[in-house]
Amino acid sequence: MKKIAIYGKGGIGKSTTVSNLSAALSTLGYKVMQVGCDPKADSTKNLMKGAFIPTVLDVLKGKEDIELEDIIFEGYNGVLCAEAGGPTPGIGCAGRGIITAFEKLEELEAFENYNPDIVIYDVLGDVVCGGFAMPIRNQYANEVYIVTSGEMMSMYAASNISSAVKQFKSKGYAKLKGLILNAKNVENEVNLVERLCTEIDTNIFHYIPRNPLVQEAENDGKTVVEAFKESEMSNIYIDLAKKIMEE
């Protein structure tokens, strides 16, 4: 079972990238599980026809004896979807919510029961502390990818995430495999991100161009891979999926 974590600054298009990656992997014949690790709980909605699924934390608040079917839902092309969820805004710690959700998935033996080929953790990466570091700190993931653009704050976040991953790598945990450049059409964008790669000793693992089909698909609650299967943009996500499975 391959286990990867994808980090990135909020609003950079990380969840869009992850859901399209999951859809692409499923079309290649892999059994995929996607775990959203953001209090907004919107990681999997484009795999669920635009619907928000119940989060692990919300289900735990409502009942004591929960089963896997209460927190894991089948989305597009069989992709298994789960959302950790978070506390009410302003109350509680979002990171602690992720820890609770992970512990429950482990307790219910989610991975043993579903036996996915790949698990993808979609993690908010503005900060890498507490529960947000859980996927790499507790060896839930072996590989880390960071989604960034050429925007300054996105690259700043990528640099911080890289530093955190390197701290954990020294302890034998997950390692950074590269940056996924989700283009925003910033001037000299590729050069800017290449310079960042030099600074943090990594590479541009994959380039995703800006394309209106992405927004068009999301407006319909779908991924590009589902909505525009034969498009060039869909093939870009499929190429990303192939590269990740070959690593």
Side-chain angles (χ1 to χ4, degrees):
M1 182 174 67
K2 196 174 188 71
K3 301 176 290 183
I4 69 173
I6 299 184
Y7 282 80
K9 183 183 181 300
I12 192 57
K14 171 181 50 63
S15 293
T16 296
T17 301
V18 173
S19 57
N20 274 284
L21 170 60
S22 291
L25 286 162
S26 75
T27 66
L28 293 173
Y30 295 105
K31 188 173 185 180
V32 186
M33 181 180 288
Q34 179 173 322
V35 182
C37 305
D38 187 323
K40 297 193 302 298
D42 61 352
S43 172
T44 60
K45 68 182 180 66
N46 290 327
L47 295 165
M48 300 296 302
K49 305 293 186 186
F52 287 80
I53 61 175
T55 70
V56 177
L57 285 190
D58 284 344
V59 173
L60 282 171
K61 291 174 189 172
K63 57 188 296 190
E64 292 183 7
D65 298 321
I66 72 172
E67 300 178 354
L68 285 173
E69 292 75 15
D70 296 320
I71 56 175
I72 296 180
F73 301 85
E74 189 171 307
Y76 170 73
N77 207 31
V79 176
L80 300 165
C81 301
E83 294 281 358
T88 302
I91 302 173
C93 171
R96 181 61 210 170
I98 293 170
I99 293 170
T100 301
F102 275 42
E103 289 173 346
K104 181 54 67 174
L105 287 169
E106 193 166 7
E107 177 189 325
L108 295 175
E109 298 184 333
F111 308 125
E112 292 82 355
N113 278 279
Y114 287 106
N115 195 28
D117 297 307
I118 180 168
V119 179
I120 307 174
Y121 299 99
D122 175 7
V123 194
L124 180 65
D126 294 64
V127 292
V128 188
C129 61
F132 293 102
M134 188 91 168
I136 50 178
R137 188 187 65 208
N138 287 43
Q139 296 183 304
Y140 285 97
N142 304 122
E143 302 171 6
V144 176
Y145 298 87
I146 303 172
V147 178
T148 188
S149 70
E151 296 165 313
M152 182 184 300
M153 293 310 296
S154 173
M155 292 192 296
Y156 180 74
S159 179
N160 283 340
I161 297 162
S162 170
S163 296
V165 174
K166 286 176 181 176
Q167 290 290 330
F168 291 118
K169 180 185 175 183
S170 65
K171 300 177 183 178
Y173 294 168
K175 53 187 176 182
L176 179 62
K177 303 298 288 187
L179 305 184
I180 298 172
L181 172 47
N182 192 39
K184 297 291 186 182
N185 291 345
V186 174
E187 187 175 355
N188 297 321
E189 189 160 27
V190 174
N191 289 337
L192 288 169
V193 178
E194 285 179 340
R195 193 182 310 160
L196 170 65
C197 287
T198 300
E199 293 172 1
I200 64 176
D201 191 26
T202 191
N203 61 90
I204 296 177
F205 184 80
H206 196 68
Y207 175 79
I208 301 174
R210 195 167 179 83
N211 191 306
L213 287 183
V214 176
Q215 187 62 56
E216 194 173 332
E218 291 199 340
N219 289 343
D220 200 25
K222 298 177 181 178
T223 61
V224 172
V225 175
E226 178 182 5
F228 304 103
K229 292 181 182 180
E230 306 302 321
S231 68
E232 181 180 349
M233 196 63 190
S234 176
N235 287 332
I236 286 168
Y237 289 115
I238 289 171
D239 286 344
L240 171 60
K242 290 176 179 176
K243 287 165 69 174
I244 283 177
M245 294 309 293
E246 287 168 1
E247 278 294 301

